[in-house]
Amino acid sequence: MKAWQETQLQALQTCDSEHQIFQTIVSMGAELGFDYCTYGLRLALPLSNPKIVKKSNYPTAWQAQYQTRNYCAIDPTVKHALRSSLPILWTDGLFASTADFWEEARSFGLRYGWAQSMRDSPGATGMLTLARSDETLSETELAAKAFKMAWLAQNAHIALSRRLLPKLLPEADTKLSNREIAVLRWTADGKTSGEIASIMKITERTVNFHISNAATKLNAANKTSAAVKAAMLGFL
Amino acid sequence: MKAWQETQLQALQTCDSEHQIFQTIVSMGAELGFDYCTYGLRLALPLSNPKIVKKSNYPTAWQAQYQTRNYCAIDPTVKHALRSSLPILWTDGLFASTADFWEEARSFGLRYGWAQSMRDSPGATGMLTLARSDETLSETELAAKAFKMAWLAQNAHIALSRRLLPKLLPEADTKLSNREIAVLRWTADGKTSGEIASIMKITERTVNFHISNAATKLNAANKTSAAVKAAMLGFL
DNA sequence: ATACGAGCTGTCAATATTAACAGTTGTTAG
DNA sequence: CTAACAACTGTTAATATTGACAGCTCGTAT
């Protein structure tokens, strides 16, 4: 068990490709007793149309269906994942208001499963789902495997989001100068340029200069967007 | 072991007071072999002066020292925790640039330790530190206990932040209307009121009306602050 | 039936912001 | 030495925002 975790952690952190990382996660899921495994990553930005990516070994037909019918928008496990990092078990109760979706998933062999999510500074939420067709999944089994699940969800997210993030959100690589950060911090807290000028003992012109530079770097249309992006990406 | 986790999870989630929760965490830390335990919570807001709270069973004198000298600002484990959720081991290398701080901690018996952090939607970062005076802490021991640590850091954060958050950040309890959310989303993405009016097919006046209502609810001085707060608190 | 809240709209004046122009100073890395 | 860069400042005009006034419609909960 110890050997497993050590070996696999190595594997996760040294893997070069997303594909390799995901395969490692799949095999760890298998060792926990689950054939099916999906990792979903949802970026917080842009807020009006958040980017989502998935790596999955679910049946292809189901993945396609999920995509085309935009089940992501109604999937209760996704809803839960965005709110809480507690593990969530697939139960009838959970899918009470989305019975058709649930029926359809089961018809593809996705019958017993659970998921756990995890968040990090660049405003990304990752959800790891483990599922299988055959054996029921009891609260007891879940409790017994909670440690490993917590660890796996965490490390899967760290390993995969590190690869996926720069591609999906180039702004995440931006470097802001100290002044830009300071000015954006006050901006995000609701100070006007004039107030920030007083606080920092510089001209209002200079404040606006820094804000505008930061907005350009962050690919933001105005200071509001710049402040939000910088805050969400953890620059402030 | 299974019994331990189940019992303790119960304990964590049914505890009424912060104090009880923290005591439960301390006892779990002790079972992992660590006498000392600290949970620190850092809210992202306000950005220019983030709120921080700690629960700790470190020697009182050290806690006081840490506080008065504002060691939080230089503590490398805190820096790490804000960037990454990977566990971090107290090593000489880690404290290379803060040797005095490190020496002083050791003089209080805080010699071997590690920490792991965890983030959640309301923009809060929690860090759990486990430490002891006597036995050295090897990478091997760390690896062996990584599962439990991941689980403990996660659940400690969930349980404690749930209690601490509403007190520290009353805005977290705000309810925004659907319109307010929609308008703030576009605002956060950098749209002007006029653009949002077109998108949502309402008057510019109405857009500003919703923004202003949201800002009042969120206790924000202007729309930039409202957008940042709403985004950080996960309302958007 | 009536009160309440969400959603919506109007106008006007005071402030704040952005865009576009042009430039100085001081530090640091090659 | 010099190129690059962060930090800083100035002016002007066009746009955007906020604050403070006031009032309508629709649904739903008492």
Side-chain angles (χ1 to χ4, degrees), chain B residues 87-149:
Chain B
I88 182 117
L89 180 61
W90 292 1
T91 61
D92 289 333
L94 179 66
F95 296 101
S97 58
T98 53
D100 291 350
F101 164 68
W102 181 215
E103 268 316 306
E104 207 175 336
R106 294 178 75 95
S107 76
F108 282 99
L110 298 161
R111 301 177 61 79
Y112 311 106
W114 59 325
Q116 180 156 16
S117 73
M118 149 114 213
R119 215 161 237 273
D120 63 13
S121 28
T125 306
M127 174 170 78
L128 183 70
T129 305
L130 298 178
R132 65 188 174 209
S133 308
D134 301 327
E135 273 175 275
T136 60
L137 175 51
S138 66
E139 289 278 356
T140 317
E141 181 183 353
L142 200 139
K145 293 178 175 170
F147 293 140
K148 287 193 175 180
M149 181 59 154

Short mmCIF file of all heavy atoms in Angstrom, two decimals, chain B residues 87-149:
data_model
loop_
_atom_site.label_atom_id
_atom_site.label_comp_id
_atom_site.label_asym_id
_atom_site.label_seq_id
_atom_site.Cartn_x
_atom_site.Cartn_y
_atom_site.Cartn_z
N PRO B 87 1.57 18.63 0.13
CA PRO B 87 2.11 18.68 1.49
C PRO B 87 3.53 19.25 1.46
O PRO B 87 4.24 19.06 0.48
CB PRO B 87 2.14 17.21 1.92
CG PRO B 87 1.40 16.44 0.91
CD PRO B 87 1.31 17.26 -0.32
N ILE B 88 3.89 19.96 2.50
CA ILE B 88 5.24 20.51 2.56
C ILE B 88 5.92 20.13 3.87
O ILE B 88 5.33 20.26 4.94
CB ILE B 88 5.25 22.04 2.34
CG1 ILE B 88 6.66 22.59 2.36
CG2 ILE B 88 4.42 22.75 3.39
CD1 ILE B 88 7.06 23.21 1.08
N LEU B 89 7.13 19.62 3.73
CA LEU B 89 7.88 19.13 4.88
C LEU B 89 8.82 20.24 5.38
O LEU B 89 9.40 20.97 4.59
CB LEU B 89 8.70 17.91 4.44
CG LEU B 89 9.59 17.20 5.45
CD1 LEU B 89 8.79 16.66 6.62
CD2 LEU B 89 10.37 16.08 4.77
N TRP B 90 8.91 20.37 6.72
CA TRP B 90 9.84 21.35 7.29
C TRP B 90 11.27 20.87 7.07
O TRP B 90 11.72 19.92 7.71
CB TRP B 90 9.63 21.50 8.79
CG TRP B 90 8.33 22.14 9.18
CD1 TRP B 90 7.35 22.57 8.35
CD2 TRP B 90 7.89 22.41 10.52
NE1 TRP B 90 6.31 23.10 9.08
CE2 TRP B 90 6.61 23.01 10.42
CE3 TRP B 90 8.43 22.21 11.79
CZ2 TRP B 90 5.88 23.41 11.53
CZ3 TRP B 90 7.69 22.60 12.90
CH2 TRP B 90 6.44 23.20 12.77
N THR B 91 11.99 21.54 6.20
CA THR B 91 13.39 21.17 5.97
C THR B 91 14.25 22.42 6.10
O THR B 91 13.75 23.53 6.00
CB THR B 91 13.59 20.59 4.57
OG1 THR B 91 13.21 21.60 3.61
CG2 THR B 91 12.76 19.35 4.34
N ASP B 92 15.57 22.20 6.26
CA ASP B 92 16.47 23.35 6.33
C ASP B 92 16.38 24.16 5.04
O ASP B 92 16.41 25.38 5.06
CB ASP B 92 17.91 22.87 6.54
CG ASP B 92 18.09 22.31 7.96
OD1 ASP B 92 17.36 22.76 8.86
OD2 ASP B 92 18.96 21.44 8.14
N GLY B 93 16.25 23.44 3.95
CA GLY B 93 16.16 24.13 2.66
C GLY B 93 14.99 25.09 2.62
O GLY B 93 15.12 26.24 2.20
N LEU B 94 13.85 24.62 3.12
CA LEU B 94 12.64 25.45 3.09
C LEU B 94 12.83 26.75 3.86
O LEU B 94 12.35 27.81 3.45
CB LEU B 94 11.48 24.65 3.71
CG LEU B 94 10.14 25.36 3.79
CD1 LEU B 94 9.58 25.63 2.40
CD2 LEU B 94 9.14 24.53 4.60
N PHE B 95 13.57 26.66 4.97
CA PHE B 95 13.73 27.84 5.82
C PHE B 95 15.04 28.57 5.57
O PHE B 95 15.47 29.38 6.40
CB PHE B 95 13.63 27.43 7.30
CG PHE B 95 12.29 26.89 7.69
CD1 PHE B 95 12.09 25.51 7.82
CD2 PHE B 95 11.22 27.75 7.90
CE1 PHE B 95 10.84 25.02 8.18
CE2 PHE B 95 9.98 27.25 8.26
CZ PHE B 95 9.78 25.87 8.40
N ALA B 96 15.66 28.27 4.45
CA ALA B 96 16.99 28.82 4.15
C ALA B 96 17.02 30.34 4.30
O ALA B 96 17.95 30.90 4.88
CB ALA B 96 17.41 28.41 2.74
N SER B 97 15.98 30.99 3.80
CA SER B 97 16.02 32.46 3.81
C SER B 97 15.40 33.06 5.08
O SER B 97 15.30 34.27 5.22
CB SER B 97 15.31 33.00 2.58
OG SER B 97 13.98 32.52 2.58
N THR B 98 14.96 32.19 5.97
CA THR B 98 14.35 32.69 7.21
C THR B 98 14.91 31.92 8.39
O THR B 98 14.18 31.39 9.23
CB THR B 98 12.82 32.51 7.19
OG1 THR B 98 12.55 31.13 6.88
CG2 THR B 98 12.16 33.38 6.17
N ALA B 99 16.24 31.89 8.45
CA ALA B 99 16.93 31.04 9.43
C ALA B 99 16.59 31.42 10.87
O ALA B 99 16.39 30.54 11.72
CB ALA B 99 18.44 31.11 9.21
N ASP B 100 16.48 32.72 11.17
CA ASP B 100 16.18 33.15 12.53
C ASP B 100 14.82 32.66 12.98
O ASP B 100 14.66 32.14 14.09
CB ASP B 100 16.22 34.69 12.62
CG ASP B 100 17.63 35.22 12.43
OD1 ASP B 100 18.58 34.39 12.43
OD2 ASP B 100 17.78 36.44 12.27
N PHE B 101 13.87 32.86 12.12
CA PHE B 101 12.52 32.39 12.39
C PHE B 101 12.51 30.90 12.70
O PHE B 101 11.93 30.43 13.68
CB PHE B 101 11.64 32.70 11.17
CG PHE B 101 10.34 31.98 11.11
CD1 PHE B 101 9.33 32.27 12.02
CD2 PHE B 101 10.10 31.02 10.14
CE1 PHE B 101 8.12 31.61 11.97
CE2 PHE B 101 8.88 30.35 10.08
CZ PHE B 101 7.89 30.64 11.01
N TRP B 102 13.19 30.16 11.88
CA TRP B 102 13.29 28.70 12.00
C TRP B 102 13.95 28.32 13.32
O TRP B 102 13.46 27.47 14.07
CB TRP B 102 14.05 28.19 10.78
CG TRP B 102 14.28 26.72 10.62
CD1 TRP B 102 15.39 26.16 10.07
CD2 TRP B 102 13.39 25.63 10.92
NE1 TRP B 102 15.26 24.80 10.02
CE2 TRP B 102 14.04 24.43 10.54
CE3 TRP B 102 12.13 25.55 11.49
CZ2 TRP B 102 13.48 23.18 10.72
CZ3 TRP B 102 11.56 24.30 11.67
CH2 TRP B 102 12.23 23.13 11.28
N GLU B 103 15.07 28.96 13.63
CA GLU B 103 15.77 28.70 14.90
C GLU B 103 14.83 28.91 16.08
O GLU B 103 14.76 28.10 17.01
CB GLU B 103 16.97 29.66 15.05
CG GLU B 103 18.28 29.10 14.52
CD GLU B 103 18.49 27.65 14.94
OE1 GLU B 103 18.43 27.36 16.16
OE2 GLU B 103 18.71 26.79 14.05
N GLU B 104 14.13 30.03 16.02
CA GLU B 104 13.26 30.39 17.12
C GLU B 104 12.14 29.35 17.30
O GLU B 104 11.83 28.94 18.42
CB GLU B 104 12.67 31.77 16.86
CG GLU B 104 12.31 32.49 18.15
CD GLU B 104 11.84 33.91 17.87
OE1 GLU B 104 12.21 34.46 16.80
OE2 GLU B 104 11.10 34.44 18.71
N ALA B 105 11.55 28.93 16.19
CA ALA B 105 10.50 27.92 16.26
C ALA B 105 11.04 26.65 16.92
O ALA B 105 10.41 26.06 17.81
CB ALA B 105 9.97 27.62 14.86
N ARG B 106 12.22 26.25 16.50
CA ARG B 106 12.83 25.03 17.04
C ARG B 106 13.06 25.16 18.54
O ARG B 106 12.92 24.19 19.29
CB ARG B 106 14.13 24.71 16.31
CG ARG B 106 13.91 24.36 14.84
CD ARG B 106 15.24 24.10 14.12
NE ARG B 106 15.81 22.80 14.48
CZ ARG B 106 15.64 21.69 13.79
NH1 ARG B 106 14.91 21.71 12.69
NH2 ARG B 106 16.20 20.57 14.18
N SER B 107 13.44 26.36 18.98
CA SER B 107 13.71 26.56 20.41
C SER B 107 12.43 26.37 21.24
O SER B 107 12.49 26.16 22.45
CB SER B 107 14.29 27.95 20.65
OG SER B 107 13.27 28.92 20.57
N PHE B 108 11.28 26.46 20.59
CA PHE B 108 10.02 26.21 21.31
C PHE B 108 9.57 24.76 21.19
O PHE B 108 8.46 24.40 21.57
CB PHE B 108 8.92 27.13 20.79
CG PHE B 108 9.00 28.53 21.32
CD1 PHE B 108 9.59 29.54 20.56
CD2 PHE B 108 8.53 28.84 22.59
CE1 PHE B 108 9.66 30.83 21.05
CE2 PHE B 108 8.60 30.14 23.08
CZ PHE B 108 9.17 31.14 22.31
N GLY B 109 10.42 23.94 20.60
CA GLY B 109 10.09 22.52 20.50
C GLY B 109 9.41 22.16 19.18
O GLY B 109 9.02 21.02 18.96
N LEU B 110 9.28 23.14 18.30
CA LEU B 110 8.65 22.85 17.01
C LEU B 110 9.75 22.48 16.03
O LEU B 110 10.29 23.34 15.33
CB LEU B 110 7.85 24.08 16.55
CG LEU B 110 6.73 24.42 17.53
CD1 LEU B 110 6.25 25.84 17.34
CD2 LEU B 110 5.59 23.43 17.40
N ARG B 111 10.09 21.19 16.01
CA ARG B 111 11.29 20.78 15.30
C ARG B 111 10.98 20.01 14.02
O ARG B 111 11.59 20.24 12.98
CB ARG B 111 12.16 19.93 16.23
CG ARG B 111 12.57 20.69 17.50
CD ARG B 111 13.39 19.83 18.44
NE ARG B 111 14.62 19.37 17.85
CZ ARG B 111 15.72 20.12 17.75
NH1 ARG B 111 15.73 21.35 18.19
NH2 ARG B 111 16.82 19.62 17.18
N TYR B 112 10.07 19.08 14.09
CA TYR B 112 9.77 18.25 12.91
C TYR B 112 8.31 18.42 12.56
O TYR B 112 7.43 18.18 13.41
CB TYR B 112 10.10 16.79 13.21
CG TYR B 112 11.48 16.65 13.81
CD1 TYR B 112 11.65 16.36 15.16
CD2 TYR B 112 12.62 16.85 13.01
CE1 TYR B 112 12.92 16.27 15.72
CE2 TYR B 112 13.89 16.76 13.57
CZ TYR B 112 14.03 16.48 14.91
OH TYR B 112 15.28 16.40 15.46
N GLY B 113 8.04 18.84 11.37
CA GLY B 113 6.64 19.08 11.05
C GLY B 113 6.37 19.09 9.56
O GLY B 113 7.30 19.05 8.74
N TRP B 114 5.10 19.11 9.22
CA TRP B 114 4.68 19.25 7.84
C TRP B 114 3.31 19.89 7.78
O TRP B 114 2.62 19.95 8.79
CB TRP B 114 4.73 17.92 7.09
CG TRP B 114 3.88 16.82 7.66
CD1 TRP B 114 3.63 16.60 8.99
CD2 TRP B 114 3.20 15.80 6.94
NE1 TRP B 114 2.83 15.48 9.13
CE2 TRP B 114 2.56 14.97 7.88
CE3 TRP B 114 3.09 15.49 5.58
CZ2 TRP B 114 1.80 13.87 7.52
CZ3 TRP B 114 2.33 14.39 5.23
CH2 TRP B 114 1.70 13.58 6.19
N ALA B 115 2.97 20.33 6.61
CA ALA B 115 1.72 21.06 6.48
C ALA B 115 1.09 20.78 5.13
O ALA B 115 1.78 20.42 4.17
CB ALA B 115 1.98 22.56 6.62
N GLN B 116 -0.22 20.92 5.10
CA GLN B 116 -0.91 20.78 3.82
C GLN B 116 -2.06 21.78 3.80
O GLN B 116 -2.72 22.02 4.81
CB GLN B 116 -1.44 19.36 3.64
CG GLN B 116 -2.17 19.18 2.30
CD GLN B 116 -2.19 17.76 1.82
OE1 GLN B 116 -1.93 16.82 2.57
NE2 GLN B 116 -2.54 17.57 0.54
N SER B 117 -2.29 22.36 2.64
CA SER B 117 -3.33 23.37 2.57
C SER B 117 -4.47 22.92 1.68
O SER B 117 -4.40 21.91 1.00
CB SER B 117 -2.76 24.68 2.04
OG SER B 117 -2.49 24.57 0.67
N MET B 118 -5.50 23.73 1.68
CA MET B 118 -6.72 23.36 0.98
C MET B 118 -7.54 24.62 0.76
O MET B 118 -7.58 25.49 1.59
CB MET B 118 -7.43 22.36 1.87
CG MET B 118 -8.90 22.35 1.83
SD MET B 118 -9.37 20.77 1.15
CE MET B 118 -10.84 21.24 0.26
N ARG B 119 -8.15 24.70 -0.39
CA ARG B 119 -8.85 25.90 -0.79
C ARG B 119 -10.31 25.61 -1.02
O ARG B 119 -10.65 24.47 -1.33
CB ARG B 119 -8.27 26.30 -2.14
CG ARG B 119 -8.19 27.74 -2.36
CD ARG B 119 -7.19 27.94 -3.48
NE ARG B 119 -6.15 28.79 -3.02
CZ ARG B 119 -6.22 30.12 -3.09
NH1 ARG B 119 -7.27 30.70 -3.60
NH2 ARG B 119 -5.24 30.86 -2.67
N ASP B 120 -11.16 26.58 -0.88
CA ASP B 120 -12.54 26.33 -1.29
C ASP B 120 -13.19 27.52 -1.95
O ASP B 120 -12.58 28.56 -2.13
CB ASP B 120 -13.38 25.78 -0.14
CG ASP B 120 -13.47 26.77 0.97
OD1 ASP B 120 -13.12 27.92 0.75
OD2 ASP B 120 -13.90 26.38 2.07
N SER B 121 -14.46 27.32 -2.30
CA SER B 121 -15.12 28.31 -3.15
C SER B 121 -15.19 29.70 -2.55
O SER B 121 -14.98 30.67 -3.25
CB SER B 121 -16.51 27.83 -3.57
OG SER B 121 -17.05 26.97 -2.62
N PRO B 122 -15.51 29.85 -1.27
CA PRO B 122 -15.61 31.22 -0.78
C PRO B 122 -14.26 31.92 -0.70
O PRO B 122 -14.12 32.89 0.04
CB PRO B 122 -16.22 31.06 0.61
CG PRO B 122 -16.77 29.69 0.65
CD PRO B 122 -15.90 28.89 -0.23
N GLY B 123 -13.28 31.44 -1.44
CA GLY B 123 -12.01 32.12 -1.48
C GLY B 123 -11.23 32.04 -0.19
O GLY B 123 -10.51 32.93 0.18
N ALA B 124 -11.37 30.93 0.49
CA ALA B 124 -10.64 30.74 1.74
C ALA B 124 -9.59 29.65 1.57
O ALA B 124 -9.83 28.64 0.93
CB ALA B 124 -11.60 30.36 2.86
N THR B 125 -8.42 29.87 2.15
CA THR B 125 -7.38 28.85 2.14
C THR B 125 -7.13 28.41 3.57
O THR B 125 -6.91 29.24 4.45
CB THR B 125 -6.08 29.42 1.57
OG1 THR B 125 -6.34 29.99 0.30
CG2 THR B 125 -5.04 28.31 1.42
N GLY B 126 -7.18 27.11 3.79
CA GLY B 126 -6.89 26.58 5.12
C GLY B 126 -5.58 25.81 5.10
O GLY B 126 -5.28 25.14 4.12
N MET B 127 -4.80 25.92 6.14
CA MET B 127 -3.56 25.15 6.22
C MET B 127 -3.54 24.38 7.52
O MET B 127 -3.76 24.95 8.59
CB MET B 127 -2.34 26.05 6.14
CG MET B 127 -1.03 25.29 6.37
SD MET B 127 0.49 26.25 6.01
CE MET B 127 0.61 27.25 7.46
N LEU B 128 -3.28 23.08 7.41
CA LEU B 128 -3.15 22.25 8.61
C LEU B 128 -1.69 21.88 8.78
O LEU B 128 -1.06 21.36 7.86
CB LEU B 128 -3.99 20.98 8.47
CG LEU B 128 -3.98 20.08 9.70
CD1 LEU B 128 -4.74 20.73 10.85
CD2 LEU B 128 -4.57 18.72 9.39
N THR B 129 -1.15 22.18 9.96
CA THR B 129 0.24 21.85 10.25
C THR B 129 0.29 20.85 11.39
O THR B 129 -0.40 21.03 12.40
CB THR B 129 1.02 23.12 10.66
OG1 THR B 129 0.89 24.10 9.65
CG2 THR B 129 2.48 22.79 10.87
N LEU B 130 1.07 19.81 11.21
CA LEU B 130 1.30 18.84 12.28
C LEU B 130 2.78 18.86 12.62
O LEU B 130 3.62 18.88 11.71
CB LEU B 130 0.89 17.43 11.83
CG LEU B 130 -0.58 17.23 11.47
CD1 LEU B 130 -0.82 15.79 11.00
CD2 LEU B 130 -1.48 17.56 12.64
N ALA B 131 3.10 18.86 13.90
CA ALA B 131 4.51 18.94 14.29
C ALA B 131 4.77 18.22 15.59
O ALA B 131 3.84 17.89 16.34
CB ALA B 131 4.93 20.40 14.42
N ARG B 132 6.04 17.97 15.85
CA ARG B 132 6.44 17.34 17.12
C ARG B 132 7.88 17.73 17.44
O ARG B 132 8.60 18.24 16.58
CB ARG B 132 6.29 15.82 17.02
CG ARG B 132 7.22 15.19 16.02
CD ARG B 132 6.89 13.71 15.82
NE ARG B 132 7.70 13.14 14.74
CZ ARG B 132 7.29 12.13 13.97
NH1 ARG B 132 6.08 11.61 14.14
NH2 ARG B 132 8.08 11.65 13.04
N SER B 133 8.29 17.41 18.70
CA SER B 133 9.61 17.84 19.15
C SER B 133 10.67 16.76 18.95
O SER B 133 11.85 17.07 18.73
CB SER B 133 9.58 18.19 20.63
OG SER B 133 8.56 19.11 20.89
N ASP B 134 10.24 15.51 19.06
CA ASP B 134 11.26 14.48 19.25
C ASP B 134 11.71 13.74 18.00
O ASP B 134 12.79 13.97 17.49
CB ASP B 134 10.76 13.51 20.31
CG ASP B 134 10.50 14.25 21.63
OD1 ASP B 134 11.24 15.23 21.89
OD2 ASP B 134 9.56 13.89 22.36
N GLU B 135 10.86 12.88 17.51
CA GLU B 135 11.30 12.03 16.40
C GLU B 135 11.44 12.80 15.10
O GLU B 135 10.55 13.58 14.74
CB GLU B 135 10.24 10.96 16.15
CG GLU B 135 10.39 9.71 16.97
CD GLU B 135 9.19 8.82 16.68
OE1 GLU B 135 8.14 9.01 17.32
OE2 GLU B 135 9.33 7.96 15.77
N THR B 136 12.49 12.54 14.37
CA THR B 136 12.61 13.16 13.06
C THR B 136 11.50 12.65 12.15
O THR B 136 10.91 11.60 12.39
CB THR B 136 13.97 12.84 12.39
OG1 THR B 136 14.07 11.43 12.25
CG2 THR B 136 15.12 13.37 13.21
N LEU B 137 11.27 13.41 11.11
CA LEU B 137 10.17 13.10 10.20
C LEU B 137 10.75 12.87 8.81
O LEU B 137 11.26 13.78 8.18
CB LEU B 137 9.19 14.29 10.18
CG LEU B 137 8.02 14.26 9.22
CD1 LEU B 137 7.24 12.96 9.33
CD2 LEU B 137 7.10 15.44 9.51
N SER B 138 10.69 11.63 8.37
CA SER B 138 11.32 11.29 7.10
C SER B 138 10.34 11.37 5.95
O SER B 138 9.13 11.34 6.15
CB SER B 138 11.88 9.86 7.17
OG SER B 138 10.79 8.97 7.29
N GLU B 139 10.87 11.43 4.77
CA GLU B 139 10.04 11.38 3.56
C GLU B 139 9.21 10.10 3.54
O GLU B 139 8.08 10.09 3.07
CB GLU B 139 10.91 11.43 2.30
CG GLU B 139 11.58 12.78 2.04
CD GLU B 139 10.66 13.78 1.34
OE1 GLU B 139 9.52 13.40 0.99
OE2 GLU B 139 11.06 14.95 1.17
N THR B 140 9.79 9.03 4.06
CA THR B 140 9.09 7.75 4.07
C THR B 140 7.86 7.80 4.96
O THR B 140 6.76 7.38 4.56
CB THR B 140 10.04 6.64 4.58
OG1 THR B 140 11.31 6.81 3.98
CG2 THR B 140 9.46 5.28 4.27
N GLU B 141 8.05 8.34 6.16
CA GLU B 141 6.91 8.45 7.07
C GLU B 141 5.84 9.35 6.44
O GLU B 141 4.64 9.04 6.48
CB GLU B 141 7.34 9.04 8.41
CG GLU B 141 6.17 9.16 9.38
CD GLU B 141 6.55 9.80 10.71
OE1 GLU B 141 7.75 10.06 10.95
OE2 GLU B 141 5.62 10.06 11.50
N LEU B 142 6.31 10.40 5.84
CA LEU B 142 5.41 11.36 5.20
C LEU B 142 4.59 10.67 4.12
O LEU B 142 3.37 10.84 4.04
CB LEU B 142 6.28 12.46 4.61
CG LEU B 142 5.66 13.79 4.29
CD1 LEU B 142 6.62 14.90 4.70
CD2 LEU B 142 5.39 13.88 2.82
N ALA B 143 5.28 9.89 3.31
CA ALA B 143 4.58 9.20 2.23
C ALA B 143 3.54 8.23 2.80
O ALA B 143 2.42 8.13 2.30
CB ALA B 143 5.58 8.45 1.36
N ALA B 144 3.93 7.56 3.87
CA ALA B 144 3.02 6.57 4.46
C ALA B 144 1.77 7.24 5.03
O ALA B 144 0.70 6.63 5.06
CB ALA B 144 3.75 5.80 5.56
N LYS B 145 1.92 8.47 5.48
CA LYS B 145 0.79 9.14 6.13
C LYS B 145 0.10 10.15 5.22
O LYS B 145 -0.78 10.89 5.66
CB LYS B 145 1.29 9.82 7.41
CG LYS B 145 1.71 8.80 8.45
CD LYS B 145 2.25 9.42 9.73
CE LYS B 145 2.52 8.32 10.77
NZ LYS B 145 3.26 8.83 11.95
N ALA B 146 0.52 10.16 3.95
CA ALA B 146 0.00 11.17 3.03
C ALA B 146 -1.51 11.06 2.83
O ALA B 146 -2.20 12.08 2.75
CB ALA B 146 0.71 11.09 1.69
N PHE B 147 -2.04 9.85 2.75
CA PHE B 147 -3.48 9.68 2.56
C PHE B 147 -4.26 10.35 3.67
O PHE B 147 -5.18 11.12 3.45
CB PHE B 147 -3.87 8.20 2.56
CG PHE B 147 -3.35 7.44 1.40
CD1 PHE B 147 -2.88 6.15 1.57
CD2 PHE B 147 -3.37 7.99 0.13
CE1 PHE B 147 -2.42 5.43 0.50
CE2 PHE B 147 -2.91 7.27 -0.95
CZ PHE B 147 -2.43 5.97 -0.77
N LYS B 148 -3.84 9.98 4.89
CA LYS B 148 -4.58 10.50 6.04
C LYS B 148 -4.44 12.01 6.16
O LYS B 148 -5.37 12.70 6.54
CB LYS B 148 -4.08 9.83 7.32
CG LYS B 148 -4.54 8.40 7.44
CD LYS B 148 -4.30 7.90 8.84
CE LYS B 148 -4.86 6.50 9.02
NZ LYS B 148 -4.62 6.01 10.39
N MET B 149 -3.25 12.48 5.83
CA MET B 149 -3.03 13.91 5.90
C MET B 149 -3.93 14.63 4.90
O MET B 149 -4.55 15.65 5.24
CB MET B 149 -1.57 14.22 5.62
CG MET B 149 -1.22 15.69 5.70
SD MET B 149 -1.57 16.46 7.32
CE MET B 149 -0.37 17.81 7.32
#
